[in-house]
Amino acid sequence: MFTGIVQAQGKVKGIEERGKAELRLTIEPVQWAKQAFILGESIMVDGVCLTLADYHDDLLDFDVMVSTYEQTILADYTLGQMVNLEAALTLQQGLDGHLVLGHVDGKAQLEKIDIQGETHFYTFRFDNPTWGKEIVAKGSVAINGVSLTIVSTNESHFVLALVNFTRDHTNLSQLKAGDWVNLETDILAKYVQGGLQDVGTK
């Protein structure tokens, strides 16, 4: 479980195919306070919950299943690319963002960025009609693991407003029109929709 509040960025240092079953992803944390990483712990990478398989020389190694990188932007990673990082939520922490599972629903595409004063408005397109019921104005969504509030939405698009602090401390500042991002809709919206579907079938 995570909050969607990015704690650091990391640089992709290694991408190694290991047969048809998995991919070994190596990341070097950047500007992340020295931590006592524990093998087997969960770390969110661009919104994807991954298990720390190895830690050596300040590098983090993750084994990524084919099903995971095929439906996320991890499949498009290149060496040197910057990613968002967040350690798993603990019971001692405050919930500054929203509850993020790290179970990416799929990808959304950035269509345009409009700048109004200090605020950047990002418009994303999504193709799965089911997501439209889980993306609501004033609700929450996670983009590359970043907890954001939805400004407006329709059946195929939604708009997010990013302040400079968020852009400066995440890789969202590097996005341009046409880029794809990892999308996770709000878990509370999922439960609501699931409950409504159950009621409708009775």
Side-chain angles (χ1 to χ4, degrees), residues 177-199:
D179 286 346
W180 293 87
V181 296
N182 289 328
L183 168 68
E184 180 184 332
T185 62
D186 190 353
I187 183 60
L188 298 180
K190 287 185 174 73
Y191 281 126
V192 169
Q193 288 302 317
L196 291 175
Q197 291 175 1
D198 290 341
V199 170

Side-chain angles (χ1 to χ4, degrees), residues 5-167:
I5 303 300
V6 172
Q7 297 170 326
Q9 292 189 66
K11 182 179 295 185
V12 176
K13 301 292 287 187
I15 304 172
E16 178 187 353
E17 293 187 7
R18 294 195 166 187
K20 298 181 179 180
E22 62 186 26
L23 183 84
R24 171 58 66 95
L25 178 65
T26 301
I27 295 175
E28 177 185 20
V30 178
Q31 296 179 340
W32 202 352
K34 189 71 173 182
Q35 298 197 26
F37 292 108
I38 301 174
L39 296 185
E41 71 173 293
S42 295
I43 296 176
M44 190 160 67
V45 178
D46 270 350
V48 183
C49 178
L50 297 177
T51 299
L52 183 62
D54 197 7
Y55 175 55
H56 56 92
D57 301 324
D58 293 330
L59 298 176
L60 308 176
D61 286 337
F62 304 93
D63 291 328
V64 185
M65 295 184 298
V66 172
S67 59
T68 297
Y69 68 77
E70 283 186 341
Q71 65 181 9
T72 69
I73 64 172
L74 271 66
D76 302 321
Y77 278 177
T78 57
L79 294 179
Q81 182 167 340
M82 300 303 293
V83 298
N84 296 323
L85 300 173
E86 182 188 351
L89 177 68
T90 67
L91 294 178
Q92 289 77 30
Q93 288 179 237
L95 187 60
D96 292 330
H98 73 283
L99 293 177
V100 180
L101 300 184
H103 302 161
V104 172
D105 293 295
K107 296 184 289 187
Q109 187 175 35
L110 177 62
E111 283 204 342
K112 64 177 181 177
I113 301 175
D114 295 316
I115 304 174
Q116 299 180 22
E118 295 293 317
T119 304
H120 291 64
F121 292 88
Y122 286 48
T123 299
F124 291 94
R125 177 182 61 82
F126 58 93
D127 297 325
N128 190 325
T130 302
W131 298 344
K133 299 178 180 180
E134 300 168 358
I135 300 174
V136 297
K138 309 304 180 184
S140 298
V141 69
I143 297 294
N144 283 359
V146 183
S147 174
L148 296 165
T149 301
I150 300 162
V151 175
S152 62
T153 182
N154 58 35
E155 65 279 358
S156 61
H157 294 77
F158 61 91
V159 179
L160 304 172
L162 276 70
V163 296
N164 285 337
F165 184 90
T166 301
R167 284 173 43 80

